[in-house]
Amino acid sequence: MPGWDLKPQGISSVLKTTGETASDLEKYAKAFGEHLTSAATSAGTISAEGGGGGEGGGGGEGGEKAAGGLVALALSQYAERASKDLQYVAARAGKSLQGAVDATTAYLNGDQEMATEAQRNALSEPKLDMPGAGKA
């Protein structure tokens, strides 16, 4: 392909390093979720009735005990949005890495049209299948 000057060993090295770094995203996302949960749990609740966490002190509807206060609610909403963003970044990284592998393989096999198509596919938006999406 005109304008392409590929060095397979360099590509392999970059893909390996990038793949290792991208695989750490799962570990960081898990720690992120654990820290948000801890922060929300530690935030406490606010009750207009007094009793501060006793049986009658919750602020839930129908006499239920409140699950968390305003800070916990805000952290929950933030976590929902941030988790979607983290999943998108991970999906985008995976799709980009696979596209680079496919394009390089096609190029090395002499199929420049397939290499161009693989490169184009890697740039398209990833489709996310997020379990539990929309659940709080």
Side-chain angles (χ1 to χ4, degrees), residues 62-75:
E64 296 175 9
K65 187 175 176 185
L70 296 175
V71 173
L73 176 62
L75 286 172

Side-chain angles (χ1 to χ4, degrees), residues 18-78:
T18 306
E20 290 169 354
T21 301
S23 69
D24 287 341
L25 284 175
E26 183 178 353
K27 176 178 69 175
Y28 297 139
K30 182 178 179 190
F32 171 76
E34 289 171 356
H35 291 300
L36 277 178
T37 300
S38 174
T41 302
S42 299
T45 62
I46 297 174
S47 175
E49 298 176 18
E55 196 66 34
E61 293 180 16
E64 296 175 9
K65 187 175 176 185
L70 296 175
V71 173
L73 176 62
L75 286 172
S76 171
Q77 291 173 346
Y78 171 74

